[in-house]
Amino acid sequence: MSNLSPRTPRPVDHLVLPTADLEIARVRLEQLGFTVAPVGVHPFGTENVCVFFGDNSFLEFLAIGQRETCEAEAIKGNVFVARDQAYRFRNGQEGFSALVMGSENAKADHQSFAEAGISAGNILDFSRPFILPDGKEDRAGFRLAFAADLRAPDIFFFTCERINTPKVDRSALQLHANGAAVLREVVLSEVNPTDFQYPLQEVINQRDVNAHSFGMDMAAANANITVLTPSGLKAFTGIESSTIERGLRLQAFVLGVRDLAAVESLLISNNIPIEKRGSRLIVHKAPGQGAAIAFEAL
């Protein structure tokens, strides 16, 4: 019998998807049937548009707003900006760079990551205005604790503690024409997935791992985190991945929708190519959409 204390898995808070142009991203996302929030501006030079879901998770499409500010912040030790710059240098302006977990104590997370040998740098505290479509504004405050693995330069992780949650009604932003309601799964790839079991256990705060012939998966509080071999990734998503190049990479995510047939109809009417795999509809990445998106029925 194990004497290890049980853990409470963290929830997935959001996913970070670098993009070259927020307007291109907005148009693409609206064609996919998403309601897109107004542009958010960070104090360190980046800006975003977000897609919010009913389970309080969201997608962050991240662009460079002020390049000089970003470069200065990276030099000062801003991990978020430095990792974004490194990702873009290696992978281009479009992609899927970070998995973000929710937290109630980012300072404790930072300490845990440091003790585990996976801290990626200093905590980041910041706040920014939050504006709703009706023009109402509040300030949102955040504290981030970063983790990374030197063997995987094209991905980073952080926990996000919400210091001040805007006192605004987000329900309108959580209603989407495609019926997307929840984040069900985040899909990563690696030649030998279990080589990254330990850092992922620390980031998700989950001891239990389900290893299988196509890779492994772990349960976060609100979604499944799956790491697939190249053959597994091809089988489940249709995505081609290198069978030689090592390192974790974020590849796709799965959204639960209320009516899959309605999603298919919407995508066809908007001339969005789709691939059917099992019980899922997959939309492969495109300009403004740096990762594959799979839709499945709730």
Side-chain angles (χ1 to χ4, degrees):
M1 178 180 288
S2 171
N3 60 3
L4 294 173
S5 60
R7 291 188 174 191
T8 301
R10 298 181 176 101
V12 176
D13 187 84
H14 68 280
L15 310 176
V16 181
L17 297 111
T19 190
D21 187 304
L22 291 185
E23 190 53 36
I24 292 174
R26 176 185 296 280
V27 170
R28 174 68 176 181
L29 292 166
E30 289 176 348
Q31 289 175 336
L32 292 170
F34 293 109
T35 300
V36 184
V39 172
V41 178
H42 294 142
F44 33 77
T46 51
E47 56 189 25
N48 66 22
V49 293
C50 295
V51 173
F52 296 96
F53 302 117
D55 62 354
N56 291 321
S57 68
F58 67 97
L59 311 176
E60 178 183 15
F61 292 82
L62 185 75
I64 304 296
Q66 301 291 331
R67 183 167 299 282
E68 296 83 1
T69 302
C70 285
E71 291 172 352
E73 285 287 325
I75 290 170
K76 290 196 304 186
N78 183 316
V79 179
F80 180 80
V81 174
R83 296 293 304 213
D84 178 66
Q85 288 189 333
Y87 183 93
R88 292 174 193 269
F89 177 81
R90 285 176 51 84
N91 300 279
Q93 297 299 310
E94 303 279 338
F96 187 3
S97 62
L99 170 60
V100 187
M101 310 304 291
S103 174
E104 296 181 356
N105 190 338
K107 288 183 177 179
D109 298 339
H110 175 70
Q111 183 67 29
S112 296
F113 294 158
E115 291 172 359
I118 61 170
S119 173
N122 296 329
I123 278 181
L124 176 63
D125 285 288
F126 74 97
S127 64
R128 67 171 180 83
F130 184 95
I131 304 171
L132 278 176
D134 64 5
K136 290 183 180 177
E137 181 177 320
D138 199 345
R139 289 199 72 81
F142 307 91
R143 177 170 294 143
L144 315 181
F146 298 93
D149 189 313
L150 288 171
R151 301 171 299 169
D154 297 319
I155 182 175
F156 67 108
F157 308 91
F158 56 95
T159 59
C160 179
E161 179 184 357
R162 302 183 189 195
I163 304 300
N164 178 54
T165 302
K167 300 174 181 64
V168 289
D169 181 6
R170 260 190 196 163
S171 56
L173 291 174
Q174 295 172 344
L175 294 176
H176 304 285
N178 60 22
V182 296
L183 178 67
R184 299 288 288 268
E185 187 173 9
V186 181
V187 180
L188 303 89
S189 67
E190 213 300 295
V191 173
N192 188 10
T194 54
D195 282 354
F196 290 89
Q197 174 180 325
Y198 174 70
L200 283 172
Q201 284 177 304
E202 294 299 322
V203 167
I204 301 167
N205 203 39
Q206 170 65 277
R207 296 197 193 281
D208 295 336
V209 178
N210 176 35
H212 46 79
S213 58
F214 285 117
M216 66 176 183
D217 54 83
M218 303 180 195
N222 60 340
N224 215 38
I225 310 299
T226 302
V227 188
L228 297 173
T229 62
S231 60
L233 187 69
K234 175 67 175 176
F236 285 101
T237 69
I239 299 171
E240 297 283 356
S241 178
S242 172
T243 59
I244 300 172
E245 193 173 359
R246 299 299 307 275
L248 280 178
R249 282 174 180 77
L250 289 156
Q251 298 282 3
F253 53 89
V254 181
L255 300 175
V257 299
R258 295 183 177 86
D259 185 338
L260 198 60
V263 176
E264 182 175 4
S265 177
L266 181 150
L267 295 173
I268 291 172
S269 69
N270 288 339
N271 296 312
I272 302 289
I274 55 177
E275 178 180 355
K276 294 184 179 182
R277 291 238 164 202
S279 59
R280 293 173 172 174
L281 297 177
I282 297 173
V283 178
H284 290 287
K285 62 184 180 181
Q289 178 201 329
I293 304 174
F295 298 95
E296 68 179 17
L298 287 169

